[in-house]
C-alpha cells in the first residue's frame, strides 16, 4: 500500500527555522517525484515545488523560489520542506503528494503555526 | 505561468441535482487536467485525471470533459457525501490549481 506519512504539527515563532518531513512507503521512492502543496487557513491549494529523490533534482514554483528549500534522503525514503526564517504568513497546512497523472497519493498534512 | 479559473466559486444545490463546475486554463493544456475533492479537515482526493479518466474507486456519477482551455466536472446526481470543495489542476506545465468551488447544501 502506497503511503506518505508526514511529521507532526509544529508551533514556531517568527524568525525560527523549521524542517518538516514526508516519508514514502509501499512503492519505489526513487522513481516518482514528490511535491509539496500549501493550504493557508480557509484558502485553496498552491503547488510549491517538487523533488526527484533519485537525483534530488528540484523545481520550485516562482511564488516559493527562495522562500523554502526542498530536499530528500532516498536512503530513508523521506522528503523534506525547510524554512530558514519563518513568518506569520507561513501559517498553513503543508501537504506532500506524489505526482503521477495528477497527485494520486497525499500525505495527511502538517499544520505549521507561526505566532509570537 | 498557466492560470486556472474555476466557476462558480460557490454553488448551492440539493441532493439529486445535476451539478457542473467549469475550469478554464489561460492557455491550452491539452487534456492534462485533474479534479480533486476536499472535505473540511481532510486531504484532497483525486477524482479525475487526463480530463475525463475516473480514478479507481470514484463513483460513476462523477464525470469530466474538455480539452485545450475549457473543462467541466459534472456530478450527475448530487449525494450527501458530495458536499465539499472541488479543485481543478493543470499538469501540462508544472502544476497549478484553480481557486476552488464550494458545493454547499441549498
Amino acid at each position: 500500500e502506497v503511503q506518505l506519512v508526514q511529521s507532526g504539527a509544529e508551533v514556531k515563532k517568527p524568525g525560527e527555522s523549521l524542517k518538516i518531513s514526508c516519508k514514502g512507503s509501499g512503492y519505489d521512492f526513487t522513481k516518482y517525484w514528490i511535491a509539496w502543496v500549501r493550504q493557508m487557513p480557509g484558502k485553496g491549494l498552491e503547488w510549491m515545488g517538487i523533488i526527484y529523490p533519485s537525483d534530488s533534482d528540484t523545481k520550485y514554483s516562482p511564488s516559493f523560489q527562495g522562500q523554502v528549500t526542498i530536499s530528500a534522503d532516498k536512503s530513508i525514503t523521506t522528503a523534506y520542506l525547510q524554512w530558514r526564517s519563518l513568518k506569520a504568513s507561513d501559517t498553513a497546512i503543508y501537504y506532500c503528494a506524489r505526482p503521477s497523472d495528477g497527485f494520486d497519493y497525499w500525505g495527511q498534512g502538517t499544520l505549521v503555526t507561526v505566532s509570537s | 505561468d498557466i492560470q486556472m479559473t474555476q466557476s462558480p466559486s460557490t454553488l448551492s444545490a440539493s441532493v439529486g441535482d445535476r451539478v457542473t463546475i467549469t475550469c478554464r486554463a489561460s492557455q491550452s493544456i491539452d487534456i492534462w487536467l485533474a479534479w480533486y475533492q476536499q472535505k473540511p479537515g481532510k486531504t484532497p482526493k483525486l477524482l479525475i485525471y487526463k480530463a475525463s479518466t475516473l480514478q479507481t474507486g470514484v463513483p460513476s456519477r462523477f464525470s469530466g470533459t474538455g480539452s485545450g482551455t475549457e473543462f467541466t466536472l459534472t456530478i450527475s446526481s448530487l449525494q450527501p457525501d458530495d458536499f465539499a470543495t472541488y479543485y481543478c489542476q493543470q499538469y501540462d506545465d508544472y502544476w497549478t490549481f484553480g481557486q476552488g468551488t464550494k458545493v454547499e447544501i441549498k
Side-chain angles (χ1 to χ4, degrees):
Chain A
E1 178 195 7
V2 174
Q3 284 193 304
L4 297 172
V5 178
Q6 297 184 231
S7 49
E10 302 274 1
V11 179
K12 292 289 190 180
K13 290 181 166 37
E16 291 186 332
S17 63
L18 177 64
K19 192 173 188 178
I20 62 175
S21 66
C22 168
K23 181 171 176 61
S25 63
Y27 72 102
D28 189 339
F29 188 73
T30 62
K31 287 192 162 57
Y32 289 83
W33 295 81
I34 289 284
W36 286 96
V37 175
R38 182 176 79 174
Q39 188 166 39
M40 299 176 76
K43 302 298 183 183
L45 304 168
E46 302 172 89
W47 170 67
M48 302 174 70
I50 50 166
I51 188 162
Y52 193 62
S54 180
D55 60 7
S56 290
D57 185 18
T58 309
K59 305 181 193 301
Y60 294 92
S61 162
S63 301
F64 292 92
Q65 179 82 48
Q67 308 304 307
V68 296
T69 301
I70 294 171
S71 60
D73 185 339
K74 63 183 178 183
S75 69
I76 55 171
T77 65
T78 300
Y80 301 97
L81 179 64
Q82 183 174 7
W83 294 260
R84 280 193 301 179
S85 179
L86 286 159
K87 303 185 283 288
S89 58
D90 292 318
T91 294
I93 297 173
Y94 294 87
Y95 295 100
C96 62
R98 191 181 81 165
S100 180
D101 268 308
F103 292 175
D104 58 354
Y105 289 94
W106 293 67
Q108 82 275 22
T110 296
L111 174 62
V112 174
T113 303
V114 184
S115 174
S116 55
Chain B
D1 287 15
I2 298 175
Q3 307 302 316
M4 305 301 292
T5 304
Q6 286 182 237
S7 60
S9 296
T10 306
L11 189 160
S12 297
S14 302
V15 172
D17 284 354
R18 182 181 181 87
V19 164
T20 298
I21 299 168
T22 297
C23 180
R24 288 188 175 86
S26 60
Q27 65 189 68
S28 177
I29 58 170
D30 196 4
I31 60 166
W32 306 115
L33 185 102
W35 289 97
Y36 299 85
Q37 177 193 67
Q38 188 180 32
K39 297 179 181 179
K42 300 295 186 184
T43 297
K45 174 186 173 184
L46 177 64
L47 298 175
I48 287 169
Y49 60 93
K50 286 184 186 170
S52 62
T53 302
L54 217 58
Q55 176 72 337
T56 303
V58 173
S60 59
R61 63 181 180 272
F62 291 92
S63 63
T65 62
S67 65
T69 61
E70 191 123 348
F71 302 85
T72 59
L73 171 70
T74 299
I75 309 171
S76 60
S77 178
L78 198 64
Q79 298 303 300
D81 191 48
D82 301 337
F83 291 97
T85 300
Y86 293 84
Y87 296 93
C88 64
Q89 178 204 44
Q90 68 82 18
Y91 55 102
D92 179 62
D93 180 22
Y94 295 109
W95 295 269
T96 315
F97 291 94
Q99 81 277 18
T101 296
K102 184 178 181 179
V103 177
E104 58 181 28
I105 300 172
K106 192 172 185 178

